[in-house]
């Protein structure tokens, strides 16, 4: 519920009070004695869903836009008439959007959530650095901590609100901060990762750094990444429109953006930008999906510009922006679908490599580990296989390298069956293994 205070200009007192009386709204009238053009201040409580229609009635009755209007949260209103007012507006809510805040509140909240430049830059840099450290430490807890401090929900919501309310200044600020945030996050992550690498703070080589679990899982994103970003945009818009805290939703949005940008920075620092092309694509598709979902949700909730004459123009602008974002998402989804298929084929190849190696070994030897190196994006293909074979030290070392290479050549199918199978380098590492009395193997 809200407490609304309206400053009544000279000559409008009776008109304003008559509107409130017709709506059966309790109010308190105070005289304005400052000597300005205002003669009174009217304070009245309203259900959240009643703020926008009542303010529109007051403006239709002649209350100018320049008249000061303050809308505040109200914890409790004890009044029989207020309860009846709540029931009446709940019954009139045919579209099911009664839980949304007023247009003016939405604009104010989006503006407030759009951080100041200095604070935005500082928090973005800190978030990117912490995320980079967490990825290199393979610490999910540290990565989550970087999401908490990332100031990324505000710019996304500002751009979306600016679109549906035809506030070009707010839209431009949201877009600029999102672009700046993405570039700044990648740059900060790259600079910090380069400092760690060339300062020899971390002992990782190129192959080791991309084998870290937290880094590796973001190198080849699949199509399931898209629902996460879309859900983040919808949740952000709903939390904003309902007037509830957006802090937790901000963490969800940061989860879709911060770790991939840090991975891109790591790839740049280690001189392998092509390796992190998947993470870069994930950043782009997440930005597009979050804005797409937020704009569509706010438009569905019924938010429109105040002026009727701007409605058609705003509708055209909104549809155009949703269309551009939708095309970007579709193109990215096609690539992500290819990555998903390629990942499935990769899993099949790894299983086939282990099965083929076991089939070539006798009963005394066994496969201990299979490592596959992939190349290319988005359609990854196996380029090298390393098989670790354990065998009893008193037996002859099994030789399966050539035979395994021949068999795996047929299993390395190109994605979607297009093209020729890639040449796969096969290496076999032999490790003598002794069985202890308890049955555990010792190398």
């Amino acid at each position: 519920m809200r407490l609304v205070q309206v400053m009544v200009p000279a000559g409008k007192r009776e008109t304003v009070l008559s509107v409130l009386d017709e709506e059966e709204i309790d109010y308190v009238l105070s005289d304005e004695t400052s000597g300005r053009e205002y003669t009174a201040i009217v304070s009245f409580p309203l259900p959240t869903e009643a703020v926008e229609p009542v303010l529109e009635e007051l403006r239709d009755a002649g209350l100018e836009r320049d008249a000061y209007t303050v809308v505040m949260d109200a914890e409790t209103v004890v009044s029989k008439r207020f309860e009846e007012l709540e029931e009446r507006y709940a019954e009139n809510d045919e579209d099911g959007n009664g839980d949304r805040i007023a247009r003016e509140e939405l604009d104010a909240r989006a503006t407030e959530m759009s951080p100041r430049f200095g604070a935005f830059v500082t928090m973005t840099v800190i978030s990117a650095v912490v995320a980079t450290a967490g990825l290199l430490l393979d610490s999910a807890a540290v990565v989550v901590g970087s999401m908490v401090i990332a100031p990324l929900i505000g710019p996304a919501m500002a751009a979306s609100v600016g679109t549906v309310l035809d506030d070009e200044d707010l839209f431009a600020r949201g877009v600029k901060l999102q672009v700046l945030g993405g570039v700044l996050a990648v740059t900060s992550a790259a600079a910090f990762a380069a400092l760690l690498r060339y300062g020899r703070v971390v002992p990782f080589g190129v192959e080791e750094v991309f084998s870290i679990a937290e880094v590796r899982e973001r190198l080849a994103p699949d199509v399931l990444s898209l629902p996460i970003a879309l859900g983040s945009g919808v949740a952000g818009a709903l939390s904003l429109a309902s007037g509830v805290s957006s802090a937790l939703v901000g963490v969800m949005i940061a989860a879709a953006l911060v770790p991939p940008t840090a991975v891109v920075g790591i790839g740049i620092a280690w001189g392998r930008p092509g390796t992190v092309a998947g993470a870069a694509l994930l950043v782009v598709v997440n930005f597009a999906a979050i804005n797409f979902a937020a704009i569509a949700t706010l438009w569905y909730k019924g938010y429109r510009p105040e002026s009727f004459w701007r409605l058609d123009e705003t509708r055209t602008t909104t549809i155009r922006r949703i269309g551009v974002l939708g095309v970007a998402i579709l193109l990215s989804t096609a690539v992500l679908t290819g990555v998903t298929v390629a990942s499935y084929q990769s899993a099949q190849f790894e299983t086939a490599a282990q099965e083929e190696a076991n089939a070539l070994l006798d009963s005394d030897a066994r496969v201990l580990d299979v490592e596959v190196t992939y190349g290319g994006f988005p359609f990854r293909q196996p380029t090298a296989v390393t098989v670790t074979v354990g065998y009893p030290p008193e037996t002859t070392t099994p030789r399966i390298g050539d035979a395994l290479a021949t068999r795996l050549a047929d299993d390395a199918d190109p994605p979607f069956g297009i093209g020729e199978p890639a040449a796969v380098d096969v290496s076999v590492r032999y490790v003598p293994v002794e069985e202890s009395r308890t049955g555990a193997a010792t190398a």
Side-chain angles (χ1 to χ4, degrees), residues 289-329:
I290 289 170
N291 285 270
F292 174 89
I295 293 173
T297 301
L298 291 173
W299 190 264
Y300 172 77
K301 293 288 287 184
Y303 287 106
R304 304 290 187 273
E306 181 180 359
S307 173
F308 173 79
W309 307 109
R310 292 161 53 193
L311 182 58
D312 289 340
E313 181 182 351
T314 303
R315 181 184 291 109
T316 302
T317 301
T318 301
I319 292 175
R320 183 173 65 248
R321 290 173 183 171
I322 288 179
V324 171
L325 293 171
V327 170
I329 292 171

mmCIF file of all heavy atoms in Angstrom, residues 289-329:
data_model
loop_
_atom_site.group_PDB
_atom_site.id
_atom_site.type_symbol
_atom_site.label_atom_id
_atom_site.label_comp_id
_atom_site.label_asym_id
_atom_site.label_seq_id
_atom_site.Cartn_x
_atom_site.Cartn_y
_atom_site.Cartn_z
ATOM 1 N N ALA A 289 19.402 -11.612 -24.124
ATOM 2 C CA ALA A 289 18.250 -12.330 -23.575
ATOM 3 C C ALA A 289 17.674 -11.620 -22.352
ATOM 4 O O ALA A 289 16.450 -11.550 -22.177
ATOM 5 C CB ALA A 289 18.649 -13.757 -23.216
ATOM 6 N N ILE A 290 18.528 -11.080 -21.502
ATOM 7 C CA ILE A 290 18.049 -10.380 -20.301
ATOM 8 C C ILE A 290 17.236 -9.151 -20.694
ATOM 9 O O ILE A 290 16.146 -8.905 -20.169
ATOM 10 C CB ILE A 290 19.240 -9.997 -19.395
ATOM 11 C CG1 ILE A 290 19.828 -11.261 -18.737
ATOM 12 C CG2 ILE A 290 18.815 -8.996 -18.323
ATOM 13 C CD1 ILE A 290 21.140 -11.021 -18.023
ATOM 14 N N ASN A 291 17.748 -8.351 -21.630
ATOM 15 C CA ASN A 291 17.019 -7.156 -22.075
ATOM 16 C C ASN A 291 15.743 -7.531 -22.808
ATOM 17 O O ASN A 291 14.699 -6.892 -22.620
ATOM 18 C CB ASN A 291 17.919 -6.301 -22.959
ATOM 19 C CG ASN A 291 18.964 -5.529 -22.181
ATOM 20 O OD1 ASN A 291 18.737 -4.405 -21.757
ATOM 21 N ND2 ASN A 291 20.121 -6.138 -21.984
ATOM 22 N N PHE A 292 15.793 -8.546 -23.646
ATOM 23 C CA PHE A 292 14.616 -9.003 -24.381
ATOM 24 C C PHE A 292 13.503 -9.413 -23.425
ATOM 25 O O PHE A 292 12.346 -8.981 -23.560
ATOM 26 C CB PHE A 292 15.013 -10.182 -25.276
ATOM 27 C CG PHE A 292 13.869 -10.842 -25.984
ATOM 28 C CD1 PHE A 292 13.449 -10.394 -27.224
ATOM 29 C CD2 PHE A 292 13.207 -11.929 -25.421
ATOM 30 C CE1 PHE A 292 12.389 -11.003 -27.888
ATOM 31 C CE2 PHE A 292 12.147 -12.548 -26.065
ATOM 32 C CZ PHE A 292 11.739 -12.081 -27.310
ATOM 33 N N ALA A 293 13.847 -10.243 -22.440
ATOM 34 C CA ALA A 293 12.839 -10.742 -21.499
ATOM 35 C C ALA A 293 12.294 -9.621 -20.624
ATOM 36 O O ALA A 293 11.088 -9.576 -20.333
ATOM 37 C CB ALA A 293 13.444 -11.852 -20.634
ATOM 38 N N ALA A 294 13.149 -8.697 -20.206
ATOM 39 C CA ALA A 294 12.700 -7.609 -19.335
ATOM 40 C C ALA A 294 11.748 -6.665 -20.070
ATOM 41 O O ALA A 294 10.702 -6.270 -19.541
ATOM 42 C CB ALA A 294 13.903 -6.838 -18.793
ATOM 43 N N ILE A 295 12.085 -6.293 -21.304
ATOM 44 C CA ILE A 295 11.214 -5.398 -22.080
ATOM 45 C C ILE A 295 9.863 -6.064 -22.338
ATOM 46 O O ILE A 295 8.796 -5.450 -22.157
ATOM 47 C CB ILE A 295 11.887 -5.020 -23.413
ATOM 48 C CG1 ILE A 295 13.114 -4.151 -23.160
ATOM 49 C CG2 ILE A 295 10.900 -4.276 -24.317
ATOM 50 C CD1 ILE A 295 13.923 -3.864 -24.403
ATOM 51 N N ALA A 296 9.892 -7.338 -22.764
ATOM 52 C CA ALA A 296 8.643 -8.048 -23.056
ATOM 53 C C ALA A 296 7.778 -8.176 -21.807
ATOM 54 O O ALA A 296 6.549 -8.025 -21.860
ATOM 55 C CB ALA A 296 8.955 -9.427 -23.633
ATOM 56 N N THR A 297 8.393 -8.432 -20.661
ATOM 57 C CA THR A 297 7.638 -8.596 -19.414
ATOM 58 C C THR A 297 6.988 -7.288 -18.987
ATOM 59 O O THR A 297 5.808 -7.262 -18.603
ATOM 60 C CB THR A 297 8.561 -9.118 -18.297
ATOM 61 O OG1 THR A 297 9.117 -10.380 -18.691
ATOM 62 C CG2 THR A 297 7.792 -9.294 -16.998
ATOM 63 N N LEU A 298 7.735 -6.196 -19.031
ATOM 64 C CA LEU A 298 7.180 -4.895 -18.626
ATOM 65 C C LEU A 298 6.054 -4.459 -19.568
ATOM 66 O O LEU A 298 5.058 -3.891 -19.129
ATOM 67 C CB LEU A 298 8.289 -3.837 -18.604
ATOM 68 C CG LEU A 298 9.342 -4.005 -17.505
ATOM 69 C CD1 LEU A 298 10.468 -3.000 -17.688
ATOM 70 C CD2 LEU A 298 8.724 -3.861 -16.120
ATOM 71 N N TRP A 299 6.208 -4.729 -20.871
ATOM 72 C CA TRP A 299 5.133 -4.387 -21.808
ATOM 73 C C TRP A 299 3.903 -5.241 -21.536
ATOM 74 O O TRP A 299 2.768 -4.744 -21.589
ATOM 75 C CB TRP A 299 5.627 -4.588 -23.242
ATOM 76 C CG TRP A 299 4.680 -4.041 -24.276
ATOM 77 C CD1 TRP A 299 3.731 -4.730 -24.966
ATOM 78 C CD2 TRP A 299 4.593 -2.695 -24.727
ATOM 79 N NE1 TRP A 299 3.052 -3.899 -25.815
ATOM 80 C CE2 TRP A 299 3.549 -2.627 -25.692
ATOM 81 C CE3 TRP A 299 5.279 -1.518 -24.412
ATOM 82 C CZ2 TRP A 299 3.211 -1.461 -26.348
ATOM 83 C CZ3 TRP A 299 4.926 -0.348 -25.054
ATOM 84 C CH2 TRP A 299 3.907 -0.316 -26.008
ATOM 85 N N TYR A 300 4.115 -6.525 -21.233
ATOM 86 C CA TYR A 300 2.994 -7.407 -20.914
ATOM 87 C C TYR A 300 2.288 -6.962 -19.633
ATOM 88 O O TYR A 300 1.051 -7.090 -19.513
ATOM 89 C CB TYR A 300 3.493 -8.842 -20.756
ATOM 90 C CG TYR A 300 2.452 -9.806 -20.248
ATOM 91 C CD1 TYR A 300 1.455 -10.309 -21.086
ATOM 92 C CD2 TYR A 300 2.450 -10.210 -18.909
ATOM 93 C CE1 TYR A 300 0.493 -11.178 -20.611
ATOM 94 C CE2 TYR A 300 1.490 -11.079 -18.428
ATOM 95 C CZ TYR A 300 0.515 -11.568 -19.286
ATOM 96 O OH TYR A 300 -0.440 -12.431 -18.805
ATOM 97 N N LYS A 301 3.028 -6.409 -18.690
ATOM 98 C CA LYS A 301 2.435 -5.939 -17.435
ATOM 99 C C LYS A 301 1.622 -4.656 -17.616
ATOM 100 O O LYS A 301 0.989 -4.185 -16.684
ATOM 101 C CB LYS A 301 3.527 -5.703 -16.390
ATOM 102 C CG LYS A 301 4.234 -6.971 -15.932
ATOM 103 C CD LYS A 301 3.353 -7.836 -15.056
ATOM 104 C CE LYS A 301 3.160 -7.258 -13.686
ATOM 105 N NZ LYS A 301 2.366 -8.151 -12.796
ATOM 106 N N GLY A 302 1.627 -4.100 -18.816
ATOM 107 C CA GLY A 302 0.774 -2.958 -19.100
ATOM 108 C C GLY A 302 1.426 -1.607 -18.986
ATOM 109 O O GLY A 302 0.730 -0.580 -18.997
ATOM 110 N N TYR A 303 2.745 -1.536 -18.891
ATOM 111 C CA TYR A 303 3.398 -0.234 -18.775
ATOM 112 C C TYR A 303 3.486 0.435 -20.140
ATOM 113 O O TYR A 303 3.938 -0.158 -21.118
ATOM 114 C CB TYR A 303 4.795 -0.390 -18.165
ATOM 115 C CG TYR A 303 4.744 -0.703 -16.686
ATOM 116 C CD1 TYR A 303 5.023 -1.983 -16.218
ATOM 117 C CD2 TYR A 303 4.396 0.277 -15.769
ATOM 118 C CE1 TYR A 303 4.958 -2.275 -14.871
ATOM 119 C CE2 TYR A 303 4.331 -0.006 -14.408
ATOM 120 C CZ TYR A 303 4.614 -1.288 -13.963
ATOM 121 O OH TYR A 303 4.540 -1.557 -12.628
ATOM 122 N N ARG A 304 3.033 1.694 -20.184
ATOM 123 C CA ARG A 304 3.016 2.481 -21.405
ATOM 124 C C ARG A 304 3.416 3.915 -21.050
ATOM 125 O O ARG A 304 3.357 4.319 -19.888
ATOM 126 C CB ARG A 304 1.611 2.495 -22.033
ATOM 127 C CG ARG A 304 1.024 1.123 -22.334
ATOM 128 C CD ARG A 304 1.740 0.420 -23.475
ATOM 129 N NE ARG A 304 1.048 -0.816 -23.854
ATOM 130 C CZ ARG A 304 1.260 -1.998 -23.281
ATOM 131 N NH1 ARG A 304 2.146 -2.097 -22.310
ATOM 132 N NH2 ARG A 304 0.599 -3.068 -23.696
ATOM 133 N N PRO A 305 3.809 4.714 -22.041
ATOM 134 C CA PRO A 305 4.091 6.129 -21.766
ATOM 135 C C PRO A 305 2.831 6.855 -21.300
ATOM 136 O O PRO A 305 1.709 6.450 -21.623
ATOM 137 C CB PRO A 305 4.596 6.663 -23.106
ATOM 138 C CG PRO A 305 4.062 5.712 -24.122
ATOM 139 C CD PRO A 305 4.020 4.377 -23.455
ATOM 140 N N GLU A 306 3.008 7.927 -20.562
ATOM 141 C CA GLU A 306 1.866 8.645 -20.001
ATOM 142 C C GLU A 306 1.021 9.304 -21.089
ATOM 143 O O GLU A 306 -0.200 9.286 -21.033
ATOM 144 C CB GLU A 306 2.363 9.704 -19.014
ATOM 145 C CG GLU A 306 1.245 10.483 -18.348
ATOM 146 C CD GLU A 306 1.765 11.508 -17.377
ATOM 147 O OE1 GLU A 306 3.003 11.592 -17.207
ATOM 148 O OE2 GLU A 306 0.945 12.225 -16.788
ATOM 149 N N SER A 307 1.672 9.845 -22.087
ATOM 150 C CA SER A 307 0.953 10.548 -23.143
ATOM 151 C C SER A 307 0.365 9.559 -24.143
ATOM 152 O O SER A 307 1.060 8.687 -24.668
ATOM 153 C CB SER A 307 1.890 11.520 -23.866
ATOM 154 O OG SER A 307 1.234 12.086 -24.988
ATOM 155 N N PHE A 308 -0.923 9.714 -24.420
ATOM 156 C CA PHE A 308 -1.578 8.852 -25.400
ATOM 157 C C PHE A 308 -0.983 9.038 -26.789
ATOM 158 O O PHE A 308 -0.906 8.103 -27.582
ATOM 159 C CB PHE A 308 -3.081 9.167 -25.423
ATOM 160 C CG PHE A 308 -3.826 8.446 -26.511
ATOM 161 C CD1 PHE A 308 -4.185 7.109 -26.365
ATOM 162 C CD2 PHE A 308 -4.159 9.104 -27.693
ATOM 163 C CE1 PHE A 308 -4.878 6.445 -27.371
ATOM 164 C CE2 PHE A 308 -4.851 8.447 -28.699
ATOM 165 C CZ PHE A 308 -5.204 7.121 -28.540
ATOM 166 N N TRP A 309 -0.563 10.274 -27.101
ATOM 167 C CA TRP A 309 -0.052 10.574 -28.437
ATOM 168 C C TRP A 309 1.291 9.916 -28.697
ATOM 169 O O TRP A 309 1.706 9.777 -29.853
ATOM 170 C CB TRP A 309 0.064 12.090 -28.624
ATOM 171 C CG TRP A 309 -1.221 12.788 -28.304
ATOM 172 C CD1 TRP A 309 -1.487 13.578 -27.228
ATOM 173 C CD2 TRP A 309 -2.430 12.738 -29.068
ATOM 174 N NE1 TRP A 309 -2.778 14.022 -27.250
ATOM 175 C CE2 TRP A 309 -3.386 13.528 -28.391
ATOM 176 C CE3 TRP A 309 -2.800 12.106 -30.262
ATOM 177 C CZ2 TRP A 309 -4.680 13.699 -28.853
ATOM 178 C CZ3 TRP A 309 -4.084 12.279 -30.730
ATOM 179 C CH2 TRP A 309 -4.999 13.062 -30.032
ATOM 180 N N ARG A 310 1.988 9.511 -27.652
ATOM 181 C CA ARG A 310 3.285 8.852 -27.819
ATOM 182 C C ARG A 310 3.154 7.331 -27.828
ATOM 183 O O ARG A 310 4.157 6.636 -27.980
ATOM 184 C CB ARG A 310 4.215 9.268 -26.680
ATOM 185 C CG ARG A 310 4.621 10.731 -26.731
ATOM 186 C CD ARG A 310 5.130 11.236 -25.397
ATOM 187 N NE ARG A 310 6.196 10.412 -24.860
ATOM 188 C CZ ARG A 310 6.623 10.500 -23.597
ATOM 189 N NH1 ARG A 310 6.044 11.338 -22.763
ATOM 190 N NH2 ARG A 310 7.607 9.739 -23.173
ATOM 191 N N LEU A 311 1.932 6.824 -27.675
ATOM 192 C CA LEU A 311 1.750 5.380 -27.531
ATOM 193 C C LEU A 311 2.152 4.626 -28.798
ATOM 194 O O LEU A 311 2.881 3.628 -28.733
ATOM 195 C CB LEU A 311 0.297 5.076 -27.167
ATOM 196 C CG LEU A 311 -0.029 3.594 -26.924
ATOM 197 C CD1 LEU A 311 0.840 3.028 -25.817
ATOM 198 C CD2 LEU A 311 -1.512 3.428 -26.574
ATOM 199 N N ASP A 312 1.681 5.084 -29.961
ATOM 200 C CA ASP A 312 1.996 4.380 -31.205
ATOM 201 C C ASP A 312 3.492 4.383 -31.489
ATOM 202 O O ASP A 312 4.069 3.369 -31.901
ATOM 203 C CB ASP A 312 1.241 5.019 -32.374
ATOM 204 C CG ASP A 312 -0.253 4.734 -32.326
ATOM 205 O OD1 ASP A 312 -0.630 3.764 -31.639
ATOM 206 O OD2 ASP A 312 -1.023 5.487 -32.955
ATOM 207 N N GLU A 313 4.112 5.535 -31.270
ATOM 208 C CA GLU A 313 5.552 5.626 -31.503
ATOM 209 C C GLU A 313 6.320 4.709 -30.553
ATOM 210 O O GLU A 313 7.267 4.024 -30.962
ATOM 211 C CB GLU A 313 6.014 7.072 -31.325
ATOM 212 C CG GLU A 313 7.506 7.272 -31.566
ATOM 213 C CD GLU A 313 7.929 8.714 -31.333
ATOM 214 O OE1 GLU A 313 7.038 9.576 -31.147
ATOM 215 O OE2 GLU A 313 9.142 8.968 -31.335
ATOM 216 N N THR A 314 5.891 4.681 -29.290
ATOM 217 C CA THR A 314 6.557 3.812 -28.311
ATOM 218 C C THR A 314 6.356 2.346 -28.644
ATOM 219 O O THR A 314 7.277 1.528 -28.508
ATOM 220 C CB THR A 314 6.010 4.101 -26.901
ATOM 221 O OG1 THR A 314 6.189 5.477 -26.593
ATOM 222 C CG2 THR A 314 6.743 3.269 -25.861
ATOM 223 N N ARG A 315 5.144 1.991 -29.086
ATOM 224 C CA ARG A 315 4.878 0.605 -29.468
ATOM 225 C C ARG A 315 5.796 0.187 -30.625
ATOM 226 O O ARG A 315 6.367 -0.907 -30.612
ATOM 227 C CB ARG A 315 3.415 0.434 -29.872
ATOM 228 C CG ARG A 315 3.074 -1.010 -30.254
ATOM 229 C CD ARG A 315 1.653 -1.146 -30.755
ATOM 230 N NE ARG A 315 0.690 -0.928 -29.673
ATOM 231 C CZ ARG A 315 -0.090 0.127 -29.561
ATOM 232 N NH1 ARG A 315 -0.026 1.104 -30.487
ATOM 233 N NH2 ARG A 315 -0.947 0.254 -28.567
ATOM 234 N N THR A 316 5.956 1.062 -31.593
ATOM 235 C CA THR A 316 6.829 0.761 -32.725
ATOM 236 C C THR A 316 8.276 0.595 -32.275
ATOM 237 O O THR A 316 8.976 -0.337 -32.689
ATOM 238 C CB THR A 316 6.738 1.880 -33.778
ATOM 239 O OG1 THR A 316 5.385 2.007 -34.207
ATOM 240 C CG2 THR A 316 7.628 1.570 -34.966
ATOM 241 N N THR A 317 8.721 1.502 -31.411
ATOM 242 C CA THR A 317 10.102 1.430 -30.914
ATOM 243 C C THR A 317 10.324 0.152 -30.114
ATOM 244 O O THR A 317 11.353 -0.526 -30.261
ATOM 245 C CB THR A 317 10.411 2.654 -30.038
ATOM 246 O OG1 THR A 317 10.224 3.845 -30.794
ATOM 247 C CG2 THR A 317 11.835 2.596 -29.519
ATOM 248 N N THR A 318 9.363 -0.184 -29.252
ATOM 249 C CA THR A 318 9.489 -1.393 -28.427
ATOM 250 C C THR A 318 9.545 -2.644 -29.292
ATOM 251 O O THR A 318 10.391 -3.530 -29.084
ATOM 252 C CB THR A 318 8.304 -1.479 -27.445
ATOM 253 O OG1 THR A 318 8.291 -0.319 -26.616
ATOM 254 C CG2 THR A 318 8.423 -2.729 -26.578
ATOM 255 N N ILE A 319 8.631 -2.727 -30.273
ATOM 256 C CA ILE A 319 8.613 -3.902 -31.147
ATOM 257 C C ILE A 319 9.921 -4.009 -31.932
ATOM 258 O O ILE A 319 10.471 -5.096 -32.111
ATOM 259 C CB ILE A 319 7.410 -3.828 -32.105
ATOM 260 C CG1 ILE A 319 6.104 -3.980 -31.313
ATOM 261 C CG2 ILE A 319 7.497 -4.905 -33.175
ATOM 262 C CD1 ILE A 319 4.855 -3.794 -32.149
ATOM 263 N N ARG A 320 10.435 -2.865 -32.391
ATOM 264 C CA ARG A 320 11.687 -2.880 -33.151
ATOM 265 C C ARG A 320 12.845 -3.375 -32.283
ATOM 266 O O ARG A 320 13.647 -4.218 -32.719
ATOM 267 C CB ARG A 320 11.994 -1.491 -33.691
ATOM 268 C CG ARG A 320 13.256 -1.461 -34.559
ATOM 269 C CD ARG A 320 13.459 -0.110 -35.218
ATOM 270 N NE ARG A 320 13.706 0.940 -34.251
ATOM 271 C CZ ARG A 320 12.864 1.929 -33.998
ATOM 272 N NH1 ARG A 320 11.694 1.987 -34.622
ATOM 273 N NH2 ARG A 320 13.156 2.854 -33.106
ATOM 274 N N ARG A 321 12.931 -2.892 -31.041
ATOM 275 C CA ARG A 321 14.026 -3.314 -30.165
ATOM 276 C C ARG A 321 13.881 -4.775 -29.773
ATOM 277 O O ARG A 321 14.874 -5.507 -29.718
ATOM 278 C CB ARG A 321 14.064 -2.415 -28.928
ATOM 279 C CG ARG A 321 14.528 -1.002 -29.252
ATOM 280 C CD ARG A 321 14.409 -0.060 -28.066
ATOM 281 N NE ARG A 321 14.794 1.289 -28.449
ATOM 282 C CZ ARG A 321 14.633 2.369 -27.677
ATOM 283 N NH1 ARG A 321 14.086 2.248 -26.468
ATOM 284 N NH2 ARG A 321 15.020 3.563 -28.110
ATOM 285 N N ILE A 322 12.656 -5.201 -29.494
ATOM 286 C CA ILE A 322 12.444 -6.614 -29.182
ATOM 287 C C ILE A 322 12.810 -7.472 -30.392
ATOM 288 O O ILE A 322 13.411 -8.553 -30.261
ATOM 289 C CB ILE A 322 10.977 -6.862 -28.763
ATOM 290 C CG1 ILE A 322 10.723 -6.275 -27.367
ATOM 291 C CG2 ILE A 322 10.657 -8.353 -28.759
ATOM 292 C CD1 ILE A 322 9.303 -6.455 -26.880
ATOM 293 N N GLY A 323 12.464 -6.980 -31.606
ATOM 294 C CA GLY A 323 12.802 -7.731 -32.811
ATOM 295 C C GLY A 323 14.295 -7.863 -33.015
ATOM 296 O O GLY A 323 14.792 -8.948 -33.361
ATOM 297 N N VAL A 324 15.040 -6.779 -32.814
ATOM 298 C CA VAL A 324 16.500 -6.829 -32.969
ATOM 299 C C VAL A 324 17.113 -7.790 -31.963
ATOM 300 O O VAL A 324 17.974 -8.624 -32.305
ATOM 301 C CB VAL A 324 17.101 -5.417 -32.808
ATOM 302 C CG1 VAL A 324 18.621 -5.487 -32.746
ATOM 303 C CG2 VAL A 324 16.668 -4.519 -33.955
ATOM 304 N N LEU A 325 16.671 -7.687 -30.705
ATOM 305 C CA LEU A 325 17.191 -8.593 -29.683
ATOM 306 C C LEU A 325 16.790 -10.033 -29.977
ATOM 307 O O LEU A 325 17.576 -10.965 -29.769
ATOM 308 C CB LEU A 325 16.668 -8.173 -28.301
ATOM 309 C CG LEU A 325 17.182 -6.833 -27.765
ATOM 310 C CD1 LEU A 325 16.428 -6.443 -26.498
ATOM 311 C CD2 LEU A 325 18.676 -6.912 -27.476
ATOM 312 N N GLY A 326 15.561 -10.221 -30.475
ATOM 313 C CA GLY A 326 15.104 -11.570 -30.801
ATOM 314 C C GLY A 326 15.932 -12.209 -31.901
ATOM 315 O O GLY A 326 16.271 -13.398 -31.830
ATOM 316 N N VAL A 327 16.261 -11.424 -32.941
ATOM 317 C CA VAL A 327 17.098 -11.957 -34.024
ATOM 318 C C VAL A 327 18.484 -12.330 -33.495
ATOM 319 O O VAL A 327 19.036 -13.393 -33.840
ATOM 320 C CB VAL A 327 17.215 -10.914 -35.164
ATOM 321 C CG1 VAL A 327 18.274 -11.354 -36.174
ATOM 322 C CG2 VAL A 327 15.879 -10.737 -35.859
ATOM 323 N N ALA A 328 19.046 -11.467 -32.641
ATOM 324 C CA ALA A 328 20.354 -11.778 -32.055
ATOM 325 C C ALA A 328 20.298 -13.061 -31.237
ATOM 326 O O ALA A 328 21.220 -13.891 -31.278
ATOM 327 C CB ALA A 328 20.826 -10.610 -31.182
ATOM 328 N N ILE A 329 19.204 -13.229 -30.497
ATOM 329 C CA ILE A 329 19.061 -14.444 -29.682
ATOM 330 C C ILE A 329 18.920 -15.674 -30.569
ATOM 331 O O ILE A 329 19.511 -16.736 -30.296
ATOM 332 C CB ILE A 329 17.855 -14.306 -28.735
ATOM 333 C CG1 ILE A 329 18.134 -13.226 -27.680
ATOM 334 C CG2 ILE A 329 17.549 -15.630 -28.042
ATOM 335 C CD1 ILE A 329 16.930 -12.874 -26.850
#
